[in-house]
Amino acid sequence: MTEAKISCRNLWKLYGAGADEFLKQHSGKPSTEALRAGNYVSAVRDVSLDIMPGQILVVMGLSGSGKSTLLRCLARLVEPTAGEVIFEGQNLLKATEAEMIELRRHKMGMVFQNFALLPHRTVLENVAFPLQVQGMNRRQREDRAREVVELVGLKGRESYYPRQLSGGQQQRVGIARSLAVGPDVWFLDEPFSALDPLIRREMQDEFLRLQQMLSKTIVFITHDFGEAIRVADRIAIMKDGLVEQLGTAEELVTCPATPYVAEFTREISRDQFLSVSSAMTPAKGRRPLDGAIKLQARLVDVARQVLSSDDPVDVVDDNGLLVGALSRPAVINALYGKELCP
Ligand code: ADP
Ligand code: MG
């Protein structure tokens, strides 16, 4: 099994006086009532998750649900109250401040909602800045910055100042800057939330294009479920510091674990996600019949064929081996039935 690139275990961030003592007194698991009685804000509450290399984890939730705090705890920009953060097998909470600075400088890239560019530096200087901080000489860092500026589609604008760029272009600079050091992990905190819907969509495409080339391990925060669906491998939904559910978009839409998750996913029609695998009955041990459909096909794309067949249609994997059968009632139930939870 591959090792997670970054994980956290029973991670807590409480705001309030004597938070670590309070957690210990409650054996690391205080109740909601105890937290309230003690006047603590539980920004991150007992969160455990793994992000595999090359995966995009999206963290979603309303404003104040703890998304930014969780992300900042993973980079230890905010000091967790308790728990573990494991990066490439190393417990970050045991690292010294100097080790953390090195790690952030070389292995972590960050993009923020407000772009956070240096106003009196050009595009090229902004992008080269993290390399300057690393101590790279001018020639080398400008060469590298030019490469990344081109990567994000801003070639020709190297000597512009941030104020001479549109919001979308400014965030491209932010993205280029975060990629300049060639980070392993890429943290994006609502990177497109300040942009107009059309530009936003364009930036999502751009982000996915970059990720296809770069295969970073990513934590991406958004409060927009549509955006989450477009970019995520998996989605964690946060409320009051808790991860209410963590799963694929398909899992969240078809089987929300809590009313809060259901509320987020209500507007999304499930047929854009459902795959044959979620509706079929397993089968094996014989040759598939003619007209077999693929396991990974979307249900909507094969619905016509299955609905017009009196018998269940065979389902095969990538190697053409029989893995199941899909019946007419199963398709109808998957697309229009109420309950899909296992
Ligand atoms: P989100 O990013 O989901 O909007 P945040 O992680 O910024 O949420 O905040 C989570 C909770 O922690 C909020 O209730 C916020 O008010 C609180 N919080 C964040 N930072 C601090 C701080 N430095 N001191 C006290 N409370 C904080
Ligand atoms: Mg935030």
Side-chain angles (χ1 to χ4, degrees):
M1 217 187 83
T2 29
E3 190 179 64
K5 187 78 175 179
I6 186 160
S7 311
C8 60
R9 291 281 167 267
N10 307 107
L11 193 68
W12 285 81
K13 179 63 190 181
L14 293 186
Y15 288 107
D20 19 350
E21 266 313 301
F22 170 84
L23 260 186
K24 281 190 200 119
Q25 277 163 18
H26 290 81
S27 317
K29 300 229 179 254
S31 64
T32 306
E33 293 71 41
L35 286 163
R36 198 172 300 139
N39 258 327
Y40 290 102
V41 175
S42 36
V44 174
R45 203 166 152 189
D46 204 15
V47 172
S48 299
L49 48 82
D50 295 307
I51 308 155
M52 305 312 277
Q55 266 205 345
I56 305 179
L57 175 75
V58 167
V59 180
M60 269 203 61
L62 298 176
S63 176
S65 57
K67 307 179 297 294
S68 294
T69 308
L70 173 61
L71 180 122
R72 297 175 80 82
C73 282
L74 292 178
R76 221 180 136 195
L77 288 167
V78 158
E79 193 63 27
T81 313
E84 287 183 348
V85 176
I86 299 141
F87 177 77
E88 294 180 340
Q90 180 195 359
N91 185 357
L92 290 192
L93 304 193
K94 299 231 162 84
T96 63
E97 188 49 34
E99 286 170 334
M100 276 316 305
I101 289 173
E102 272 303 282
L103 261 177
R104 284 187 214 111
R105 263 184 205 167
H106 293 273
K107 300 207 159 182
M108 297 177 175
M110 303 201 191
V111 182
F112 303 100
Q113 176 175 357
N114 59 5
F115 319 144
L117 303 178
L118 300 164
H120 304 298
R121 295 197 183 214
T122 63
V123 167
L124 198 69
E125 287 163 349
N126 265 283
V127 174
F129 186 67
L131 301 170
Q132 185 179 358
V133 172
Q134 276 185 0
M136 192 181 279
N137 73 43
R138 188 185 186 113
R139 176 71 192 275
Q140 271 185 317
R141 69 179 188 248
E142 290 195 346
D143 284 351
R144 169 68 185 157
R146 248 180 267 283
E147 264 174 51
V148 226
V149 166
E150 181 167 1
L151 191 69
V152 301
L154 285 179
K155 193 172 162 64
R157 295 205 163 72
E158 289 83 355
S159 54
Y160 282 45
Y161 287 90
R163 64 169 186 282
Q164 298 173 298
L165 301 173
S166 70
Q169 289 169 332
Q170 289 186 46
Q171 193 57 306
R172 281 174 198 263
V173 178
I175 287 175
R177 180 185 52 191
S178 72
L179 291 174
V181 303
D184 291 355
V185 191
W186 203 11
F187 294 115
L188 300 104
D189 191 348
E190 308 216 27
F192 310 139
S193 297
L195 304 173
D196 294 335
L198 279 178
I199 306 289
R200 199 166 169 162
R201 181 126 187 145
E202 194 182 304
M203 293 298 286
Q204 291 161 3
D205 289 337
E206 179 73 12
F207 166 77
L208 290 170
R209 181 186 70 85
L210 286 170
Q211 172 62 354
Q212 196 136 51
M213 288 190 287
L214 304 172
S215 301
K216 304 284 181 204
T217 306
I218 295 174
V219 183
F220 186 114
I221 293 184
T222 178
H223 58 253
D224 173 354
F225 197 63
E227 180 163 277
I229 288 171
R230 293 201 74 207
V231 305
D233 291 309
R234 292 189 310 151
I235 301 172
I237 304 227
M238 286 188 82
K239 182 187 179 207
D240 299 334
L242 285 168
V243 169
E244 294 236 326
Q245 189 170 4
L246 199 168
T248 60
E250 177 174 353
E251 285 161 354
L252 301 186
V253 170
T254 56
C255 196
T258 66
Y260 180 73
V261 177
E263 196 55 38
F264 262 116
T265 58
R266 213 174 45 158
E267 303 295 318
I268 308 295
S269 70
R270 47 166 87 157
D271 56 2
Q272 47 172 309
F273 297 102
L274 289 175
S275 60
V276 166
S277 61
S278 61
M280 69 173 199
T281 313
K284 61 176 179 188
R286 57 175 174 79
R287 280 168 56 95
L289 299 171
D290 284 348
I293 54 181
K294 288 242 168 82
L295 183 65
Q296 300 307 338
R298 286 194 318 164
L299 216 47
V300 279
D301 296 331
V302 300
R304 179 185 289 267
Q305 181 190 343
V306 179
L307 293 175
S308 59
S309 160
D310 289 328
D311 296 316
V313 175
D314 281 347
V315 180
V316 293
D317 66 12
D318 284 344
N319 300 317
L321 292 173
L322 182 75
V323 287
L326 185 60
S327 68
R328 187 187 286 160
V331 170
I332 293 170
N333 184 54
L335 290 177
Y336 306 110
K338 279 258 171 293
E339 277 305 328
L340 278 177
C341 304

